[in-house]
Amino acid sequence: MRRILGVYSASSPHWVGDGFPVRSVFSQTTLGQHVSPFLHLDYAGPMKFAPTDTPRGVGVRPHRGFETVTIVYQGEVEHRDSTGAGGLVGPGDVQWMTAASGILHEEFHSKAFTEQGGVLELIQLWVNLPAKDKNATAGYQTLLDADIPAVRLPGNAGTLRVIAGDYQGNHGPARTFTPINMWDLQLRNGGQTSLELPEGHAVGLVVLRGNIVVNGTEPVRDAQFALLERNGGAFTLDASSDASVLLLSGEPIDEPVAWRGPFVMNTEEELNQAFADFRRGGFGRIEN
């Protein structure tokens, strides 16, 4: 049985721009290679926003050397970037942005959500890229809820959406640079499920809402992260309430991590180059 190595609570809330009240659930800066290939996860909301005329959000900023994954649970955001991609991301949708060689992007509450108000709830995850792909062409994937396989778990325990990777022959639509499973679980109170993931993968459970018990002994609650062993076979989840859980597993990237601000590279020299390229306008522009 794959054991839990630790359970970690999210940080105190802070704002990203004026539109995203977030709690940082885990980070490579504190957990190191234990969470590789994942770097960082912020949980925004749930928070109710009043109607307004001015969209809230985060303005143009650069990235290089990794990917960002945004999963929207409630509300709606709008994305634009320097590849020319963009669009609306609503409940159940996923935005998978590959910064790689360099990208500029911005995210705001959508026009409709701004005018109507409502509850916003989403996560944003940073996923590292191996050195050979850090200078790949920047790109963007829109993964609509309708295109993400949803599987009923045995025993009426809930549902599992396969965003990336594979669950019992159901393949997620996300294209990844390294082997990754990303499963969005909605568990029913009293349900139990057993999950098995590739040996050697880093495995973590992010409980967004609700309460679960792992392997019959380890409680994990709202806004907590459970880090599991890389080996050990299957593990069980018991839901002691209705629960929303994001499962992450990935093949570790056994390379140095150099991280400063919006750039994640392998060396300090590469970080310095990223900042120099950004200052000279090498990341393109976002067209009005």
Side-chain angles (χ1 to χ4, degrees):
M1 183 171 285
R2 198 184 293 245
R3 298 179 303 164
I4 282 188
L5 297 176
V7 177
Y8 307 90
S9 296
S11 69
S12 299
H14 63 279
W15 284 87
V16 175
D18 65 357
F20 303 104
V22 308
R23 290 168 285 174
S24 297
V25 179
F26 72 80
S27 180
Q28 186 270 344
T29 57
T30 54
L31 295 177
Q33 286 294 101
H34 291 296
V35 293
S36 178
F38 309 108
L39 293 165
H40 182 85
L41 186 140
D42 279 342
Y43 178 31
M47 175 176 277
K48 187 171 184 179
F49 285 87
T52 183
D53 296 328
T54 305
R56 303 175 180 92
V58 188
V60 177
R61 60 206 185 278
H63 290 306
R64 173 179 281 181
F66 63 101
E67 302 184 284
T68 67
V69 181
T70 302
I71 305 172
V72 175
Y73 291 91
Q74 299 182 75
E76 188 176 64
V77 296
E78 188 166 4
H79 166 96
R80 295 197 308 154
D81 65 43
S82 53
T83 72
L88 299 177
V89 188
D93 297 340
V94 178
Q95 164 191 289
W96 198 298
M97 186 184 78
T98 302
S101 59
I103 201 168
L104 303 176
H105 78 127
E106 64 177 25
E107 288 167 316
F108 286 90
H109 298 180
S110 71
K111 184 175 185 295
F113 183 81
T114 297
E115 294 174 348
Q116 298 167 13
V119 176
L120 181 72
E121 181 184 17
L122 58 83
I123 67 98
Q124 185 169 95
L125 169 71
W126 288 18
V127 181
N128 201 10
L129 290 172
K132 67 181 181 62
D133 295 314
K134 284 189 179 292
N135 286 310
T137 302
Y140 181 83
Q141 301 174 65
T142 299
L143 311 175
L144 298 177
D145 182 35
D147 298 326
I148 298 172
V151 183
R152 290 185 181 275
L153 294 170
N156 200 30
T159 60
L160 183 156
R161 295 197 313 148
V162 188
I163 296 168
D166 177 89
Y167 174 76
Q168 296 187 351
N170 297 276
H171 302 285
R175 301 183 303 275
T176 66
F177 284 79
T178 58
I180 286 174
N181 289 291
M182 186 178 297
W183 300 342
D184 174 26
L185 292 92
Q186 303 300 316
L187 302 176
R188 293 168 57 91
N189 184 15
Q192 181 185 78
T193 190
S194 177
L195 299 172
E196 190 157 3
L197 291 153
E199 295 293 291
H201 270 211
V203 177
L205 301 166
V206 181
V207 177
L208 303 177
R209 285 175 278 108
N211 302 285
I212 64 171
V213 177
V214 181
N215 293 334
T217 60
E218 299 282 351
V220 190
R221 302 179 177 88
D222 291 30
Q224 288 190 321
F225 174 67
L227 178 66
L228 280 73
E229 288 183 314
R230 291 184 179 178
N231 297 291
F235 58 94
T236 62
L237 304 181
D238 289 272
S240 49
S241 71
D242 290 349
S244 177
V245 180
L246 181 66
L247 181 147
L248 303 170
S249 92
E251 184 179 279
I253 298 172
D254 187 19
E255 296 173 354
V257 174
W259 182 354
R260 195 189 320 152
F263 305 131
V264 182
M265 304 302 292
N266 297 105
T267 67
E268 284 296 315
E269 291 76 13
E270 291 170 337
L271 286 177
N272 292 335
Q273 186 63 55
F275 278 98
D277 291 344
F278 168 61
R279 286 192 293 267
R280 68 172 178 80
F283 288 18
R285 56 179 294 183
I286 295 178
E287 300 294 338
N288 292 324

